[in-house]
Amino acid sequence: MIKALIFFAVLLAIAFGGAWLADRPGEIIINWPWLDMGFEVSLLMGFLLIVAAMGIAVVLWIVVRSIWNSPRSVTGFFSSRRRDKGYKALSTGMIAVGVGDLALARKQAAKARKLLGQEPMTLMLEAQTAQLAGDPTKARQSFEAMLDTDETRALGRRGLYIEAQRRGDLEEALQMAKAASDESKKAPGWAGTALFDMQTAAEDWQGALVTLSQNFTNKHIAKDEFRRHRAVILTAQAMALEGQDGGDTAMRPLLSEACKLAPGLVAAVTMQARLLNDARDYRKASKLVEAAWRIEPHPDLAQAYAYIKAGDTALDRLKRIRVLFGLMPDHVEAKLAMARAFIDAREWAEARSLLEPMAASRLTPRICMLMAELEEGEKNDFGLVRQWLARAVGAHRDPAWTADGQVSDSWQPISPVTGKIDAYEWKVPVREAAYAEQPVLDSRDLEEDVSEEDMVLIPSSHDASQEKATTFDVSDDDIEEIDPDADEAQGKAEEEAELEAAAKSEEKPDLTAAEDASEKSSEISGPEPVAPASEETPEVAKKPEAAAQKAPEPEVKPEVESGVKSAETASSRIEIEKPKEVEFPMPFPPDDPGPKKDQASRRVEKRFKLF
């Protein structure tokens, strides 16, 4: 718009100038005495001649200058064309590195180096191509070459830091991060973050505080993250001072600031509450724990709140926990803390009213342990105690301090795996695959008045499939398939043996017992396989063989005699059916005396119920 106004203003000025000259006629006389000539023109024509002469002069100047600069222009044309080809090769090479085409990346890197020379991006392409090819030496050389130029020095340090991390050279990585941070007041974000992570992993808390402040000043981290990390570092410093001479005095200001920065940091709150309790500042300690409890209830907070005053009775602790329970009445940790206080105060009914609904909805080992303690304290029923302890094995896991898959009994400032700060979280750990399908006992099957004798073990599907199996004490080596044709001969031999035994019952009373056992063997076994004749017991088979030899008729064939021997051998090895062993669906059976050996063989074992 402004340019258009300027154009119209100039055009208007020219028009007014022409009109002014036209209204004021005049003549211009030019005389050249040395030529004895002259000429006259009007004022308007003279002005136009002057303008034309100036235009011709400008055109001549442009022509002359173009001819003078033509070699340079031709050289610039070819240079720009070469540069364009180089940048095109550089762009294609970077895309090839991103795609993972090593051959194309190498080709374009060589072409870009030939066309562009020591261009910063050419060194970057060569370094990334070397990294893609797995050549750390060439990549390191490319990054070191970048350190010679101010424009690429930061890029070279970043590349050397990454290469040092890949080699596991933490000293060089720390050196590159420090150099990048100290080069200017506003250090790059990667340098501040890397330096902070390495300092916290090495537990250099003082240096980590300085780096954290620099990162926050340079706006590399948010305010909430800055406050949380500073609180964690202050808590870590207090934990390092714990147990030292004068440590409580040095810990108090650190924990006080940490609690102000992060009121929900459980470790800082519990440690500060303990120090306040030692100083008899019970009111401030209570307010501190209550503020953290409102953010996220935790069993450590409940423990610290219950024992704020040393020497209190169980009823005093119960009154105090009621206040904490009123802040978050629907939270699981609040209910568990309240149940713990009820059990300590021997308020069995109130504890049961809290625990049983939780056991019905989601059973955990902590609930099982509390229920076991409740059953022992209220009823002194050790059968139910063992039942709850057994159910704790297959219950859902309780929350715990977890960082990178590692579970810890207490909070720690850094991860034991990666060294990352504030990595521990209060959550349910990931269950192992071997226990993912482990059954959980149903609390609805619990009955208060059920004794141990009335509890029946429900057999598993594997036990049910083997329920009808025989339980003879016969090894696999003693079993042999009996020819069906030998059954008839075996029956005849048994009849002859019975007649012989009846005639000589006074002389050989032991034969009658053997024949009775033989009859029972034939009735029980039926088509079932029996022991082979090749491995029969000699002393047991002698009596039937002697009876068969004394019988007058008929003559027994060898195969029939073998069948008789095998049947009588199997009958002699028959024992009372053994009680079925209990197979628990848990890694280890609970503490239980087990089945009694003198009970009937087919009696169902009475034990607690498992699923």
Side-chain angles (χ1 to χ4, degrees), residues 57 74 96 144 171 242 264 339 341 363 370 451 466 522:
V74 173
E144 287 177 349
E171 183 177 356
E242 190 174 9
L363 192 64
L370 290 174
S451 62
Q466 298 180 352
S522 61

Side-chain angles (χ1 to χ4, degrees), residues 270-290:
T270 53
M271 294 174 66
Q272 181 68 358
R274 180 180 60 81
L275 294 178
L276 293 174
N277 294 340
D278 295 341
R280 298 184 180 276
D281 194 351
Y282 305 123
R283 184 174 181 179
K284 189 174 182 180
S286 300
K287 290 183 177 180
L288 192 67
V289 176
E290 289 173 3

